[in-house]
Amino acid sequence: MVKLLKSAPPTAIAGMIVLFAVLLTGILAPLVSPYGETQVVGGAYQPWSRAHPLGTDNLGRDMLSRMIYGARNTVGLALLTTGIAFSVGAFLGMFAALRSGWLDEVLSRMVDVLMAVPPLILALMLLAIVGPSIPNMVGVIAVIYVAPVYRLARAAAMNVVGLDFVEAARLRGEGTFRLLRREILPNIGSTLIAEFGVRFCFVFLFIAALSFLGIGIQPPTADWGSMVKENATLITFGDITPLIPAGAIALLTIAINLIVDWMLHRASGLKS
Amino acid sequence: MSRLQKLVLGRLFLGILTLFIVSALMFIGIELLPGDLAQQILGQSATPETVAAFRAELGLDQPPYVRYLDWLGGVFRGDFGTSLASRRSVADLLGTRLANTMFLAVYAAVIAVPIALTLGLLAALWRNTAFDRGVNLGALSAISMPEFFVAYVLILFLSIRFGLFPTLARIDEASSLGDALYRTFLPALTLILVVVAHMMRMTRAAIINVLAAPYIEMARLKGVPRWRIIVRHALPNALAPIVNVVALNLAYLIVGVVVVEVVFSYPGLGQLLVDAVSSRDFPVVQAVGLFFAAVYITLNVLADVISMISNPRLRHGR
């Protein structure tokens, strides 16, 4: 493990440090934040000071504390959503590859339709129907991102299901679920993990964009996307405070992209 | 019918079929929703009479397929129903906003496409040089940043600090073309930065792919001049992937417009869609969503068809 980390290029190391710092902040949010998530601590739009290092927001809540809780909420929800999309998509994809036949056909055509529509527009249409709320948003985004994961898992599993050891396991009398878990999943795992990083970035940016538009994570929950929206007026006075949550989103996405690039590079076996 | 015609027609048919499924999506979604939609929107305190009246207005007292066919018939006559929020006909609401959105998208595309293609070509030719690495790093950062971050950074520097451009992109019919171009420069620039990054990366990959082919190496080995290799050998084969890249990115542009319009309070379709989703104004969401989906699907079908036509191997039957 140490040897592996030593072989990583500086860009990937920087990415890992940022990712680790954000995760740690998110997990320890109640311990490290000076004030509560929704606690009103003073007047609105106070400038940076010793008591409030990043000032206060449009309702007089401490910006720094909301940034810290935002790490927990935005990243946590993005992880949850990606997790759901991955478990469902990977399961269906592997299942379709193993079973083939009409089930594969039906699932694949449904996925084709899902992928033919721009994700943001599809999400907006679905959210108009179910109404904006956190569980609805997680559900809608998960449904949308099941499609690409399904495609990838199905394509990867297709290469495996025809191999002899799967046939042998099947003849041994192993059930479908055991086949999926013990024979197919271990062989497509590395492909799926690299894809998880890529998809997580998309989902994370997606949640931030929806929250920014006011139809994702709803107030008073702190999250980086809606914090930009709520305090956007400050920018017209030349104050950079609203750019901090937006910058945090960009920083985390770049960090993950750097790590994923390195992982893909390693997996492809290319020498630089 | 030749194999190529069959393929192209099949792709067109699939595109149209997808569009119909998307148009039915909202009707299916409303049907699948647990509980009563009218009750949910009006809240628990609504009287049964109000709920019944609202249900009749939404057409929920009709079976879903009747509602869908009614709506579809209207669409073909240019009637998209009436907005629940403003009581105006949806077609009226769409009119000028549609023109505004197309204006912004075309503005961004006209500038972005040549820049992206040039950068991509140069990065591919000077592969692994400082220029290539610099452009790539810039592109990766631009892709990783949310559009609203790029937009606010531009506002902060170009309009607040240096006062070059207005922060809000308000335009109406009275503004002249020059004035409109000036006012919408910042939203257009935001879109350009994001789209150029995507398009440049894809162009670079497409050209590197072609340059790695054995026949290019053959040409180089027999001493063909460098410019001739690029113009006569590489370009004809790289053209199809590049056209594909342009079409895909224009499709991306159409969607990116939504967030940018909200940042700059630009009176376009994206802003309308977001407002309609928050107030759950179904007829408007349905019409605008369908429009965006239609443009996106058309551009994607176009990209596929062009790459089919430009592939000589498909021109003859086997």
Side-chain angles (χ1 to χ4, degrees):
Chain A
M1 188 67 192
V2 177
K3 205 175 161 194
L4 182 71
L5 281 180
K6 270 198 180 146
S7 75
T11 49
I13 301 271
M16 277 184 249
I17 293 173
V18 172
L19 179 65
F20 191 67
V22 172
L23 287 180
L24 206 64
T25 318
I27 293 167
L28 300 178
L31 297 178
V32 291
S33 78
Y35 302 93
E37 182 181 358
T38 55
Q39 185 188 355
V40 177
V41 291
Y45 297 133
Q46 281 177 15
W48 295 10
S49 64
R50 186 156 296 207
H52 306 293
L54 295 179
T56 58
D57 73 354
N58 61 330
L59 297 178
R61 297 168 296 194
D62 183 49
M63 272 301 267
L64 180 65
S65 308
R66 283 182 72 77
M67 278 296 295
I68 293 169
Y69 275 98
R72 168 180 262 202
N73 296 330
T74 319
V75 179
L77 283 174
L79 270 179
L80 175 71
T81 313
T82 323
I84 297 175
F86 254 80
S87 355
V88 177
F91 173 74
L92 288 179
M94 292 191 298
F95 194 65
L98 190 65
R99 276 294 177 80
S100 64
W102 65 269
L103 183 83
D104 179 26
E105 200 61 30
V106 170
L107 282 175
S108 297
R109 290 298 83 76
M110 279 167 68
V111 163
D112 284 349
V113 171
L114 271 182
M115 290 194 64
V117 189
L120 183 63
I121 304 302
L122 188 59
L124 287 174
M125 289 173 81
L126 292 178
L127 279 173
I129 299 172
V130 293
S133 72
I134 293 178
N136 285 349
M137 179 196 71
V138 170
V140 163
I141 300 180
V143 166
I144 293 174
Y145 279 99
V146 159
V149 178
Y150 167 89
R151 260 198 196 167
L152 181 81
R154 180 177 172 279
M158 273 296 184
N159 293 328
V160 180
V161 288
L163 298 180
D164 288 343
F165 66 88
V166 179
E167 193 57 34
R170 209 198 298 255
L171 292 175
R172 226 169 27 233
E174 289 187 6
T176 307
F177 292 98
R178 206 182 145 77
L179 273 177
L180 289 181
R181 202 164 55 82
R182 298 296 296 272
E183 311 295 339
I184 298 178
L185 189 58
N187 284 295
I188 66 169
S190 58
T191 318
L192 288 180
I193 288 174
E195 181 74 2
F196 190 91
V198 179
R199 288 298 151 202
F200 174 80
C201 283
F202 282 121
V203 170
F204 178 66
L205 284 177
F206 205 95
I207 292 182
L210 280 181
S211 306
F212 172 77
L213 294 175
I215 33 202
I217 299 173
Q218 298 293 313
T221 309
D223 98 274
W224 293 348
S226 50
M227 282 171 73
V228 180
K229 179 75 172 175
E230 286 163 5
N231 303 298
T233 37
L234 274 184
I235 290 186
T236 47
F237 301 106
D239 188 337
I240 63 157
T241 312
L243 288 179
I244 294 173
I249 296 170
L251 186 67
L252 183 62
T253 327
I254 294 175
I256 295 174
N257 269 326
L258 291 176
I259 303 174
V260 170
D261 266 5
W262 171 58
M263 281 168 64
L264 287 177
H265 196 75
R266 254 173 44 83
S268 67
L270 284 175
K271 293 275 175 283
S272 58
Chain B
M1 200 158 48
S2 79
R3 188 150 144 253
L4 179 66
Q5 278 169 328
K6 259 186 218 157
L7 274 174
V8 170
L9 282 181
R11 187 67 191 83
L12 285 178
F13 173 74
L14 261 183
I16 295 170
L17 184 69
T18 313
L19 208 51
F20 272 101
I21 297 178
V22 175
S23 73
L25 189 78
M26 296 236 7
F27 291 90
I28 301 169
I30 292 173
E31 212 46 42
L32 291 178
L33 192 71
D36 186 48
L37 182 71
Q39 184 81 57
Q40 209 194 359
I41 293 178
L42 294 173
Q44 291 301 322
S45 55
T47 60
E49 290 78 28
T50 342
V51 174
F54 193 60
R55 280 179 65 86
E57 191 184 331
L58 282 177
L60 287 177
D61 43 357
Q62 307 268 336
Y65 64 91
V66 173
R67 262 186 291 145
Y68 179 63
L69 290 179
D70 260 5
W71 180 82
L72 204 60
V75 169
F76 282 117
R77 292 191 307 271
D79 171 18
F80 288 88
T82 314
S83 157
L84 298 177
S86 68
R87 303 275 152 205
R88 288 172 57 195
S89 99
V90 176
D92 272 2
L93 279 174
L94 291 188
T96 53
R97 283 171 175 267
L98 180 66
N100 287 345
T101 292
M102 292 314 278
F103 173 73
L104 185 58
V106 170
Y107 186 8
V110 165
I111 300 178
V113 173
I115 294 181
L117 293 185
T118 318
L119 281 180
L121 187 73
L122 292 180
L125 288 181
W126 300 333
R127 202 165 2 144
N128 295 331
T129 60
F131 174 81
D132 181 31
R133 270 195 283 273
V135 168
N136 256 320
L137 192 67
L140 187 66
S141 331
I143 290 172
S144 306
M145 291 172 190
E147 281 110 341
F148 55 84
F149 179 62
V150 179
Y152 280 126
V153 170
L154 289 178
I155 292 185
L156 182 68
F157 285 103
L158 294 184
S159 94
I160 308 292
R161 292 275 160 92
F162 298 119
L164 295 176
F165 299 98
T167 50
L168 297 181
R170 297 242 164 84
I171 61 165
D172 46 52
E173 286 102 55
S175 25
S176 68
L177 181 66
D179 195 34
L181 286 176
Y182 169 69
R183 281 170 182 279
T184 53
F185 183 72
L186 280 189
L189 185 60
T190 312
L191 286 172
I192 290 168
L193 286 178
V194 178
V195 170
V196 161
H198 278 274
M199 210 185 301
M200 177 249 134
R201 271 167 73 101
M202 289 161 85
T203 313
R204 178 179 177 274
I207 292 179
I208 285 183
N209 203 9
V210 171
L211 286 181
Y215 69 86
I216 297 288
E217 179 153 19
M218 177 67 204
R220 200 176 295 146
L221 287 178
K222 72 182 183 192
V224 178
R226 200 173 156 78
W227 65 268
R228 205 179 148 82
I229 294 182
I230 291 165
V231 178
R232 300 281 303 171
H233 295 246
L235 215 53
N237 279 301
L239 216 52
I242 289 176
V243 171
N244 214 343
V245 166
V246 172
L248 287 181
N249 280 286
L250 291 184
Y252 176 82
L253 189 70
I254 279 298
V255 181
V257 127
V258 174
V259 173
V260 172
E261 280 181 6
V262 171
V263 174
F264 291 94
S265 314
Y266 183 75
L269 283 183
Q271 175 112 49
L272 182 69
L273 178 61
V274 172
D275 289 346
V277 171
S278 342
S279 60
R280 304 182 82 182
D281 189 346
F282 292 102
V284 176
V285 175
Q286 174 90 313
V288 180
L290 191 64
F291 168 78
F292 277 123
V295 175
Y296 188 84
I297 292 171
T298 311
L299 284 168
N300 272 305
V301 170
L302 203 65
D304 284 359
V305 168
I306 288 174
S307 66
M308 281 175 193
I309 293 176
S310 65
N311 185 349
R313 270 162 294 193
L314 293 176
R315 248 174 248 156
H316 312 283
R318 266 183 215 193

